[in-house]
Amino acid sequence: MSTDSRSLVLSLILGAEARGDAALGVRELISACALFELPENNVRVALARAVAAGQLATPRRGAYALSAQSRPLADEVGRWRSLEDQIVEWRGDWLAVHVGATGRSDRPALRARERAFGILGLAEFERGLHLRPDNLAGGVASLRERLAHLVPQGTELGTVFVLGGLAAADAQRAAALWDAAALNAHYRDGTARLSAWLEGARALPLERAARESFELGHAAIRSLVFDPLLPAPLVDAAARSRFIKTVARFDDAGKAVWQRFLKRVRAAAPQPALAS
């Protein structure tokens, strides 16, 4: 069993939740995973392991939903549609997290913290010191709260604070922690790629449209979840805005495709026999 199998199942259920489906049935998940050539047995094993790991819950027999344990990350993923509302004017200060004094023996907690740093746009400036521009709504208090929300309870967060007054050379070095050229290219290329798919989507068979909309949409949304939300002039904020709006249009189209696909799956499901 590969990690990808479980990741696919979790992503499908997260996508269903975003469409308003509180849970997906096992038959729906098997049909959905078949689009990606994942065998039925792999799907069932992935579901069992996700439940055992506390990632999924079973609100009723044969149905699967995200668990309370998965809620913090799912909530953070769901923020992508309001990204532009989360950005404020940058005045040159930095949000900082220092983790030099925290323990390093709890590997799962460390991985969770590293993932949280990625979601929050924090990059390592010096050993143990992570920075990002102080341009997020809510400032340091919001960063501290979101960081605590994203890691397991009891995980050492480090010291979270605002850093100002960097020397010009250090400020330049901090600004270079992110590959701005790559981010700008991603915004432009992503906008073009998704727009081109939307133009030709009506002509695609339903199964292909469902698979491609999931693959492209999943990659685009993931890139926004992990976008550092850098301020101008560090990145092309206008290009990012166009990309976010395009992803939202693409996501709306993908939801419609998946509603049609699941409607077909449900209609094809065998009906229980009537008692004589």
Side-chain angles (χ1 to χ4, degrees):
M1 168 58 52
S2 68
T3 303
D4 287 344
S5 302
R6 197 191 306 182
S7 296
L8 175 60
V9 165
L10 291 169
S11 296
L12 288 167
I13 293 174
L14 179 61
E17 184 181 87
R19 294 191 303 273
D21 290 324
L24 283 181
V26 65
R27 182 53 54 188
E28 294 164 345
L29 284 163
I30 289 171
S31 297
C33 288
L35 296 175
F36 307 94
E37 301 181 348
L38 192 65
E40 177 177 338
N41 185 62
N42 289 43
V43 178
R44 293 185 182 277
V45 173
L47 288 168
R49 292 190 174 180
V51 171
Q55 296 170 307
L56 291 179
T58 52
R60 60 183 182 277
R61 182 177 176 84
Y64 296 86
L66 296 178
S67 67
Q69 175 182 306
S70 297
R71 188 79 270 141
L73 182 57
D75 290 344
E76 195 68 36
V77 170
R79 295 168 63 101
W80 71 266
R81 276 185 173 264
S82 62
L83 283 182
E84 293 189 285
D85 297 332
Q86 300 169 35
I87 305 171
V88 298
E89 182 182 358
W90 185 42
R91 300 183 182 277
D93 287 343
W94 303 84
L95 295 175
V97 182
H98 186 258
V99 296
T102 59
R104 302 192 62 83
S105 59
D106 188 342
R107 301 305 300 174
L110 286 174
R111 286 194 295 270
R113 191 174 66 193
E114 289 170 1
R115 181 180 63 190
F117 282 5
I119 291 173
L120 297 171
L122 291 156
E124 192 167 35
F125 178 67
E126 294 176 351
R127 183 173 176 82
L129 178 62
H130 296 72
L131 302 181
R132 67 151 296 115
D134 184 7
N135 69 321
L136 297 181
V140 68
S142 176
L143 181 74
R144 190 180 291 118
E145 180 181 346
R146 289 173 66 188
L147 180 57
H149 195 56
L150 282 168
V151 299
Q153 189 172 8
T155 301
E156 294 181 271
L157 302 180
T159 305
V160 185
F161 57 100
V162 178
L163 177 64
L166 284 178
D170 288 332
Q172 186 175 5
R173 186 159 58 93
L177 292 174
W178 301 269
D179 189 340
L183 285 169
N184 291 336
H186 171 70
Y187 300 145
R188 293 191 299 267
D189 295 346
T191 297
R193 185 183 308 111
L194 297 182
S195 297
W197 189 91
L198 286 170
E199 289 179 7
R202 291 177 180 270
L204 296 177
L206 180 57
E207 290 78 5
R208 179 179 171 184
R211 184 182 69 251
E212 291 182 356
S213 65
F214 177 86
E215 291 173 337
L216 291 172
H218 178 74
I221 290 173
R222 188 181 189 282
S223 75
L224 288 178
V225 171
F226 284 91
D227 192 286
L229 297 181
L230 301 178
L234 300 186
V235 296
D236 185 344
R240 180 178 61 209
S241 180
R242 288 191 293 272
F243 179 56
I244 293 171
K245 290 179 172 62
T246 302
V247 176
R249 288 194 300 114
F250 188 93
D251 187 55
D252 289 339
K255 286 176 179 176
V257 167
W258 275 86
Q259 285 169 345
R260 288 165 49 211
F261 174 76
L262 290 175
K263 183 178 180 180
R264 177 185 292 183
V265 171
R266 289 160 184 160
Q271 300 299 314
L274 296 175
S276 59

